[in-house]
Amino acid sequence: MAAADVIVLGAGIIGVSTALQLARRGKAVALVDRGEPGRETSYGNAGLIQREGIVPYGFPQQFGQILRYTLNNRIDAHFHWRAIPSVSSFLAKYWWHSNHARHQSIARAYAPLIEHSVSTHAELIEEAGAQALISKHGWSEVFRTNAKRDHELREAERLKREHGVAFEALSADELAAREPHLSKDFTGALRWEDPWSVKDPLALTQAYVRLFEKLGGQVLKGDARSLSKTATGWRVKTADGDVEAKDVVVALGPWSEVVTKPLGYDFLVGVKRGYHMHYAPKGNAVLNGWILDAERGYLLAPMNQGIRLTTGAEFARRDAPKTPVQLARAEAVAKTIFPLGERLDAEPWMGARPCTPDMMPAIGKAPRHEGLWFAFGHAHHGLTLGAVTGQLIAEAMTGARTLIDISAYRPERFNA
């Protein structure tokens, strides 16, 4: 039987970053997952470290907007009718927390995490030698109407004033100069200056894993459901035998419930599924930066694998078969604004984002078990918050002063 100081369950970007941050602090860490690191939800994101993402994605509050979503014909949101009964409790609480006053309060509590997103990744990226995977030119929202442009620019001004977020307003001509192969459908753009973009999210996770192993960490294949309590800590079964440790971190994203529920915790974590596909550009067309079509709800990203088209949220059971109708809708629109060529993937990729009703992750010690820690529920910001979450968990576990106050993310808000 092998021994470690800490077992980290889950090798997505949150789990890998947590394991790495612990290893950097001298802990012997076993990182356990049923598959290869970074191959699940962390593989298919938009590749953005969103320093501007202060305000988490809320549930629509206007009746007319909700009514339009019930038509179920949009790119930014889609749902399975059969799944609604099973997710209704989550959706009701998500809607309640998205009330304007509550949403603004949540954003203020969420802001400190976001504010350290780039800086904490920067340390790990340098140590891992992964600088070639990073673009530091921000990303852009493009607008089809002046009304939408003006509304988003006002919000950007507020975020700059209250949180120091930098942005640039681009006219239609300035946007065309930056993206000459984009269509002329847009009245202008909002370019967020602070975020970093990742050209290959899987490769970044793998670079972190290599650094983790260089520091003595172990990557093992095992089933998190085998976790059991021992007299001195925790044990999990792996392909290389049992591993025991005093502490365990649950960083299983949308699968965290396979560990938390048997231990008596109920986090009411919902799932927003998302899809992507890579494309070759036609001819000599070039997409220079990450582009969100703000009024349609899809994003184009110039990744190393090709131009990645990502969709919005699909509300469905986590393990239901793929239904990539949003991707088909997005592809049809995206081809009218940029010369996308052939598909480069055999089939659409799908991932599941783990979302809490109050839009903030669970980060911290379990209230009823010694040596049990939680780090999941990051919704759309898993990549963004990977490094800072890992640092906060590592600091809390080693008794250091945490970079920020983590009481707003405490698991007790769901489980007393």
Side-chain angles (χ1 to χ4, degrees):
M1 183 178 296
D5 296 323
V6 185
I7 298 167
V8 176
L9 298 176
I13 189 63
I14 301 295
V16 167
S17 297
T18 299
L20 175 54
Q21 295 280 21
L22 285 162
R24 292 173 78 224
R25 288 160 176 78
K27 293 294 183 181
V29 185
L31 177 63
V32 179
D33 199 293
R34 63 185 179 183
E36 298 296 327
R39 291 284 181 177
E40 293 286 356
T41 306
S42 297
Y43 174 81
N45 55 68
L48 292 172
I49 302 174
Q50 289 189 257
R51 168 63 182 86
E52 91 298 339
I54 302 294
V55 182
Y57 297 97
F59 195 96
Q61 297 291 292
Q62 294 77 25
F63 177 76
Q65 188 176 4
I66 294 173
L67 187 61
R68 288 193 291 274
Y69 279 111
T70 64
L71 298 175
N72 214 18
N73 60 0
R74 300 174 63 93
I75 296 170
D76 57 343
H78 181 72
F79 56 89
H80 291 186
W81 285 106
R82 291 182 178 179
I84 296 301
S86 64
V87 300
S88 59
S89 181
F90 165 77
L91 291 175
K93 291 187 178 181
Y94 182 23
W95 173 83
W96 188 86
H97 282 293
S98 297
N99 163 274
H100 179 74
R102 286 184 284 270
H103 196 201
Q104 290 302 311
S105 178
I106 287 167
R108 288 191 291 273
Y110 194 58
L113 275 177
I114 293 291
E115 287 168 1
H116 292 281
S117 58
V118 170
S119 59
T120 50
H121 267 297
E123 290 183 17
L124 301 187
I125 288 165
E126 182 175 358
E127 290 183 29
Q131 295 92 332
L133 296 173
I134 306 301
S135 170
K136 301 180 182 179
H137 303 295
W139 69 281
S140 299
E141 299 180 48
V142 297
F143 307 112
R144 296 170 179 268
T145 65
N146 292 338
K148 179 67 171 178
R149 178 199 63 196
D150 294 346
H151 177 272
E152 294 303 319
L153 287 174
R154 286 194 296 271
E155 176 65 4
E157 287 284 3
R158 185 184 71 82
L159 293 179
K160 179 179 181 179
R161 184 172 61 253
E162 297 180 7
H163 300 284
V165 176
F167 73 93
E168 177 185 16
L170 301 177
S171 68
D173 289 343
E174 289 168 331
L175 173 62
R178 285 181 173 273
E179 296 290 352
H181 294 102
L182 208 61
S183 75
K184 308 305 181 186
D185 291 33
F186 304 103
T187 64
L190 164 59
R191 187 176 77 85
W192 297 106
E193 297 179 344
D194 297 325
W196 286 7
S197 305
V198 182
K199 301 173 186 177
D200 187 336
L202 173 62
L204 181 64
T205 303
Q206 292 173 332
Y208 286 1
V209 169
R210 289 193 294 272
L211 176 58
F212 168 67
E213 292 178 314
K214 183 179 178 181
L215 294 173
Q218 299 180 78
V219 179
L220 303 170
K221 285 196 174 181
D223 190 336
R225 291 174 294 186
S226 70
L227 182 71
S228 60
K229 193 80 175 71
T230 69
T232 56
W234 301 87
R235 177 188 299 134
V236 69
K237 298 180 183 299
T238 78
D240 296 311
D242 290 1
V243 178
E244 285 195 359
K246 177 185 176 183
D247 295 296
V248 62
V249 181
V250 179
L252 291 161
W255 297 277
S256 294
E257 67 176 11
V258 304
V259 170
T260 59
K261 281 197 172 182
L263 292 172
Y265 297 97
D266 185 5
F267 285 92
L268 195 61
V269 173
V271 169
K272 294 183 186 178
R273 306 199 312 180
Y275 297 84
H276 84 226
M277 173 62 66
H278 294 104
Y279 300 82
K282 286 183 178 179
N284 65 348
V286 174
L287 185 68
N288 291 312
W290 276 244
I291 298 290
L292 172 69
D293 188 344
E295 283 133 312
R296 296 294 186 269
Y298 63 88
L299 183 139
L300 291 172
M303 299 281 190
N304 288 347
Q305 296 159 282
I307 296 175
R308 180 177 289 185
L309 170 63
T310 72
T311 68
E314 179 183 66
F315 294 91
R317 292 187 177 93
R318 183 191 62 205
D319 301 320
K322 294 179 183 179
T323 52
V325 295
Q326 289 165 285
L327 184 67
R329 296 167 187 161
E331 180 182 289
V333 178
K335 284 185 173 182
T336 69
I337 69 150
F338 185 86
L340 292 176
E342 70 273 18
R343 289 184 169 193
L344 300 179
D345 304 325
E347 63 179 59
W349 177 90
M350 185 195 76
R353 309 176 187 99
C355 306
T356 64
D358 68 0
M359 295 158 275
M360 293 194 296
I363 302 174
K365 187 179 180 300
R368 298 192 300 274
H369 290 80
E370 284 300 316
L372 177 63
W373 299 77
F374 298 136
F376 58 83
H378 293 74
H380 297 260
H381 286 154
L383 174 61
T384 294
L385 298 178
V388 66
T389 296
Q391 180 169 329
L392 292 169
I393 287 285
E395 288 167 343
M397 292 180 70
T398 56
R401 181 178 180 179
T402 54
L403 178 65
I404 61 172
D405 179 6
I406 62 174
S407 59
Y409 326 118
R410 64 194 185 283
E412 290 92 326
R413 72 187 197 273
F414 299 108
N415 298 270

